[in-house]
Amino acid sequence: MTEPVHPWVAQFRQRITDQALPDTSWQKQTDITDAMLHQLWHSQLCSRLLDLQSRLLQAKGQSFYTIGSAGHEGNAAIAAALRLTDPAFLHYRSGAFFIERSKQLPGSTPIYDLLLSFCASSDDPISGGRHKVLGSLALNIPPQTSTIASHLPKAMGAALAIDLSRRLQLEGNWPSDAIAVCSFGDASANHSTAQGALNAASWTAYQQVPMPALFVCEDNGLGISTPTPNGWIEHALADRPALKYFAADSRDLAHTYSVAKRAADYVRTTRKPALLHLSTVRLFGHAGADTETSYRHKTKIADELELDPLLASSALLLAKGIISTEQMLQQLDALQQQIVRVAAVAVTKPKLTTAAQVMASIAPVKPVVALPAIADTATREKLFAYDKHNQAKPQHLAKLLNWTLHDLLARFKNTVVFGEDVAKKGGVYGVTQHLIQAFGSNRVINTLLDEQSILGMAIGLAQQGFIAIPEIQFLAYVHNAEDQIRGEAATLPFFSNGQYANAMVIRIAGLAYQRGFGGHFHNDNSFAVFRDIPGVIVFCPSNGHDAALLLRQAVQLAHEQKRLVIFLEPIALYMTRDLANTGDGLWLTDYPEPDTALPEFGVPAVYGTGKELAIISYANGYYLSRQAELELEAQGYQIRVIDLRTLVPLQTDKIIAALTDCQQILIVDECRRRGSLSEELFTALHETKPNYFTIRRLCAEDSFIPLGSAAYAVLPSKQQIIEQALSMLMTKALPTKEGLA
């Protein structure tokens, strides 16, 4: 039985036969070779036929993605103007770009690879059947899940990272003469994420910092059904400071290639950013399920079909005599038949069938890699000379974090600390003080005030081979940029089948109880945004000793396992010195030497051996629980206090091991009752040992944090912990026989 052919193919074939193709006299003369024009036309045609084949496969339930590249195939010329080693962060209508770049790597099989992706086969070489993405490690195309330009910040970060590698004399994943290219649609250009990335690139270049980024806005005049105003993209993007503007009509393939070459050469030689405004047309609707006639007039749709870039490039090849009508028809038929044959194979290839298979790439175990040597004694003495008078004294959490960062930057030469105010000021709370004096402005970088750009920079650095250590000043500030963590950084291993990763440690100052400052925006007591992101680790120390060890562990996990770690630092405990009484210094700790053994991942810290009651908490809750324990001990009670330290993922077996034979448990959670960690912990303990534990929760109210003393009305207090503990101790509820069994 003959496989069906999409109607467009028959219509296109007939127009070639009848020589009913557009006039070419308007197209500009360039010095492009005939061979290059033919190669680009072939990539365009291949992309179109693959899109149409995907729609035919979808009708049979064999393909699962039909947002194609039809009308955008001029981006093949962009690919040809770039090098294989230029990282490409691509818009989802970039099939022709992908195919054209594949031609720079002998042995590539783009037709088979893309069809495997369309069919969600586990043999798909980029995502392993997890999504239809345009990506390839060998082609330097990191896969993108974005449809709203959330990939622009990391492209900006990658561009910055390329030249930073050269300045630091570190070998990165991309060569020092590479440029980063990033394509996006005209509708996405309006998104705050795109605006932020373009602004960050301009802001950086304006200060003469290298930013070799080529942004390509593929303007088809539509955002699904919403038209882009005529002239909007040019007026909105052409006059950005330090961002050079280029423009081309993608129907003129030769001129597009010429302009793309000029734009790429400009970026490569000047190390400054540029924007290429590429006029395109969207054909066949937004996606296969899109009924375009519901929001566009049929006449308009028909008119745009005549603007098809394939018609224009086919006409040009014939007009220049590069190929004859018969040869063009033969090549069309041969390519169509090849795609049908390959599709017949692709649809038979295996799919992911189990949860374990699907989840295998969320946080894949990496081969063991060597750790760099700890800095020698002489180097460390020089490094810490600025604070020599404090070295032998116990210190608070902020100071020990600062010392730890000094040791880590000395040991891991590819670490970079950056964020707003982290350099000369040393951060709002002094945690990054003296780092810039010790390591210079290439490793301790003040950024603009834009969390999306800070986190995008982290992703770009990570993909170039750095261990990024960005700082977010306050937990409440991360929410406007959380998709850079959730939708971009965390998903990359998943959608690349573990081939790409974003090794980073995101330092965030947060949680509540901060005195004399704040309200909600500086006392945010909810980190729920991180708790449901697969593969993310969240550490939260309560004291300086643990902070030093956990920060080292976070960087080691990023180095060895390429993990994404959130390091949540409790602001109220940064400078805390005392526990029970003013001047007792009981919350100060000694600095653990750099060779101190790290705790086993997920093992909580345990204070006390009491069996009557265990209090489980973290950060400020742990501090308050230790205060409560002192008063309960004075009353004759034996209490055990457990500091979780690792909040995500909770290691339930290790927590239960720390409880030993404690059966009465009070969970003190400084976050809100609804959506807090205590919900998960309560459930996990009951599910693991049904009917064994007697558990209560003490949480913050489901409220934002107000200003001043009113804040403490909605947060757990030492007195509330004591009252809850006494209530449980006096009840002394016994386990059931089933629980003991």
Side-chain angles (χ1 to χ4, degrees):
M1 181 177 174
T2 304
E3 284 293 318
V5 175
H6 194 280
W8 179 89
V9 177
Q11 294 165 9
F12 180 56
R13 197 178 194 286
Q14 191 62 51
R15 292 192 66 159
I16 295 171
T17 302
D18 296 342
Q19 299 186 8
L21 296 172
D23 174 59
T24 62
S25 61
W26 64 275
Q27 297 192 37
K28 296 179 175 65
Q29 295 295 318
T30 70
D31 58 359
I32 189 171
T33 66
D34 290 351
M36 177 57 73
L37 263 179
H38 182 261
Q39 177 176 304
L40 294 176
W41 172 82
H42 180 272
S43 295
Q44 289 183 302
L45 181 61
C46 188
S47 176
R48 178 67 58 85
L49 296 177
L50 280 166
D51 281 351
L52 299 177
Q53 189 66 34
S54 181
R55 295 193 175 207
L56 294 174
L57 292 173
Q58 187 196 42
K60 297 191 290 185
Q62 295 173 328
S63 175
F64 305 94
Y65 197 89
T66 57
I67 295 182
S69 304
H72 283 245
E73 291 91 353
N75 56 40
I78 313 297
L82 297 165
R83 298 175 183 172
L84 177 65
T85 51
D86 294 331
F89 301 82
L90 299 181
H91 183 45
Y92 53 77
R93 299 195 192 275
S94 300
F97 183 109
F98 182 89
I99 293 163
E100 179 60 34
R101 173 162 284 196
S102 297
K103 293 175 180 176
Q104 297 183 35
L105 184 66
S108 296
T109 55
I111 292 174
Y112 187 47
D113 295 348
L114 288 172
L115 283 165
L116 287 171
S117 182
F118 295 163
C119 297
S121 169
S122 55
D123 286 351
D124 166 23
I126 184 60
S127 78
R130 293 172 180 85
H131 205 277
K132 184 268 182 182
V133 288
L134 293 168
S136 167
L137 184 65
L139 298 178
N140 292 297
I141 303 176
Q144 311 305 317
T145 62
S146 166
T147 61
I148 55 167
S150 59
H151 58 304
L152 269 73
K154 60 184 176 182
M156 177 275 300
L160 183 76
I162 289 167
D163 270 70
L164 187 61
S165 294
R166 177 183 51 79
R167 296 198 296 278
L168 294 174
Q169 298 183 326
L170 296 173
E171 184 178 352
N173 293 322
W174 301 305
S176 60
D177 63 349
I179 69 174
V181 62
C182 179
S183 58
F184 57 100
D186 52 291
S188 295
N190 299 300
H191 199 277
S192 62
T193 312
Q195 293 292 322
L198 293 170
N199 179 73
S202 298
W203 182 88
T204 304
Y206 186 78
Q207 300 173 83
Q208 305 304 313
V209 176
M211 176 57 70
L214 176 59
F215 297 100
V216 181
C217 181
E218 298 186 15
D219 181 2
N220 63 29
L222 283 167
I224 305 183
S225 67
T226 304
T228 296
N230 290 334
W232 171 249
I233 293 300
E234 180 178 358
H235 282 90
L237 301 182
D239 295 319
R240 295 291 183 102
L243 182 68
K244 191 171 180 64
Y245 177 82
F246 295 85
D249 185 334
S250 70
R251 291 179 302 146
D252 187 343
L253 192 57
H255 186 245
T256 296
Y257 174 73
S258 176
V259 172
K261 282 285 289 181
R262 284 195 285 114
D265 290 345
Y266 169 83
V267 174
R268 200 178 307 279
T269 56
T270 66
R271 315 309 286 171
K272 293 180 179 179
L275 185 129
L276 172 52
H277 178 196
L278 189 64
S279 299
T280 65
V281 61
R282 190 192 75 188
L283 304 179
F284 314 136
H286 174 69
D290 181 27
T291 306
E292 197 172 12
T293 53
S294 66
Y295 56 86
R296 303 187 78 206
H297 197 277
K298 290 181 179 180
T299 303
K300 180 69 172 176
I301 296 171
D303 289 345
E304 289 193 349
L305 285 171
E306 292 303 308
L307 301 178
D308 187 337
L310 258 174
L311 295 178
S313 56
S314 298
L316 184 63
L317 260 65
L318 293 171
K320 291 174 70 71
I322 297 172
I323 191 173
S324 69
T325 300
E326 292 73 19
Q327 289 171 327
M328 183 172 283
L329 291 172
Q330 289 170 3
Q331 291 181 27
L332 168 61
D333 293 342
L335 188 54
Q336 172 66 23
Q337 291 164 16
Q338 180 187 6
I339 288 172
V340 170
R341 289 195 304 271
V342 176
V345 176
V347 298
T348 68
K349 294 303 175 181
K351 308 288 195 296
L352 298 171
T353 57
T354 68
Q357 289 175 335
V358 172
M359 297 169 64
S361 65
I362 290 174
V365 177
K366 303 288 184 181
V368 175
V369 294
L371 289 168
I374 296 169
D376 58 49
T377 302
T379 300
R380 294 191 69 243
E381 285 181 355
K382 182 179 179 181
L383 190 64
F384 289 100
Y386 77 96
D387 219 3
K388 185 177 180 179
H389 62 288
N390 282 319
Q391 289 292 298
K393 305 172 187 176
Q395 299 295 330
H396 52 61
L397 187 152
K399 176 71 74 175
L400 295 192
L401 278 173
N402 177 258
W403 290 356
T404 305
L405 285 169
H406 276 80
D407 266 328
L408 287 170
L409 265 68
R411 184 179 189 184
F412 295 86
K413 305 301 183 185
N414 62 336
T415 48
V416 180
V417 170
F418 54 96
E420 188 193 357
D421 301 319
V422 301
K424 289 185 178 180
K425 180 178 174 61
V428 175
Y429 299 98
V431 176
T432 58
Q433 282 182 348
H434 300 281
L435 288 175
I436 191 168
Q437 289 84 353
F439 300 101
S441 58
N442 285 320
R443 295 189 65 195
V444 185
I445 303 171
N446 271 343
T447 68
L448 72 175
L449 198 165
D450 178 20
E451 286 75 22
Q452 289 183 135
S453 294
I454 292 170
L455 293 173
M457 177 177 167
I459 299 172
L461 285 167
Q463 291 188 30
Q464 174 64 345
F466 288 93
I467 298 175
I469 309 180
E471 175 181 295
I472 302 297
Q473 275 190 354
F474 295 99
L475 178 58
Y477 294 1
V478 81
H479 299 303
N480 65 52
E482 63 191 45
D483 186 57
Q484 289 299 301
I485 301 173
R486 173 188 297 277
E488 295 297 337
T491 60
L492 187 61
F494 181 73
F495 288 117
S496 68
N497 204 15
Q499 297 171 83
Y500 282 96
N502 289 307
M504 66 180 73
V505 179
I506 305 172
R507 293 182 44 249
I508 304 176
L511 302 176
Y513 295 96
Q514 188 180 183
R515 295 183 180 276
F517 187 53
H520 166 72
F521 294 105
H522 301 95
N523 272 311
D524 188 352
N525 67 330
S526 173
F527 59 94
V529 62
F530 306 127
R531 290 183 48 239
D532 71 338
I533 304 176
V536 166
I537 294 169
V538 179
F539 286 144
C540 183
S542 64
N543 59 83
H545 179 273
D546 282 356
L549 296 181
L550 290 175
L551 188 54
R552 291 171 189 166
Q553 187 170 48
V555 171
Q556 186 169 320
L557 283 164
H559 171 77
E560 292 183 332
Q561 295 300 315
K562 309 303 179 189
R563 296 299 295 271
L564 192 166
V565 185
I566 307 291
F567 199 82
L568 184 58
E569 301 168 7
I571 297 172
L573 296 175
Y574 269 145
M575 311 297 178
T576 299
R577 306 174 65 87
D578 306 322
L579 177 61
N581 301 298
T582 302
D584 65 21
L586 292 177
W587 212 248
L588 303 176
T589 62
D590 292 325
Y591 181 57
E593 291 300 314
D595 59 355
T596 303
L598 300 179
E600 181 184 349
F601 178 73
V603 171
V606 181
Y607 179 83
T609 58
K611 300 179 181 179
E612 295 179 86
L613 176 70
I615 302 176
I616 304 177
S617 194
Y618 59 92
N620 297 289
Y622 176 70
Y623 174 75
L624 294 171
S625 297
R626 286 284 302 277
Q627 289 183 325
E629 184 273 339
L630 289 172
E631 296 195 21
L632 291 167
E633 182 186 40
Q635 298 180 45
Y637 294 105
Q638 299 299 306
I639 306 297
R640 180 177 312 189
V641 187
I642 295 173
D643 185 357
L644 291 172
R645 301 191 297 191
T646 301
L647 307 186
V648 179
L650 277 181
Q651 303 292 293
T652 308
D653 57 334
K654 295 179 175 67
I655 296 168
I656 289 176
L659 291 169
T660 59
D661 50 0
C662 285
Q663 293 177 253
Q664 293 210 100
I665 299 170
L666 174 60
I667 302 172
V668 176
D669 193 335
E670 63 184 281
C671 291
R672 303 163 197 159
R673 176 172 294 275
R674 187 176 67 245
S676 66
L677 187 71
S678 59
E679 289 182 328
E680 179 184 352
L681 181 57
F682 192 106
T683 303
L685 292 174
H686 272 304
E687 288 180 341
T688 305
K689 298 188 74 171
N691 303 315
Y692 182 77
F693 297 112
T694 299
I695 308 174
R696 291 190 191 178
R697 291 195 298 149
L698 174 60
C699 305
E701 299 295 335
D702 288 334
S703 171
F704 300 109
I705 306 300
L707 191 64
S709 60
Y712 302 98
V714 296
L715 294 169
S717 66
K718 178 190 73 173
Q719 189 57 41
Q720 289 175 326
I721 296 171
I722 293 171
E723 290 171 359
Q724 286 276 10
L726 287 173
S727 175
M728 296 182 73
L729 289 164
M730 292 175 180
T731 303
K732 293 186 178 180
L734 297 175
T736 65
K737 292 181 179 180
E738 291 80 6
L740 289 172

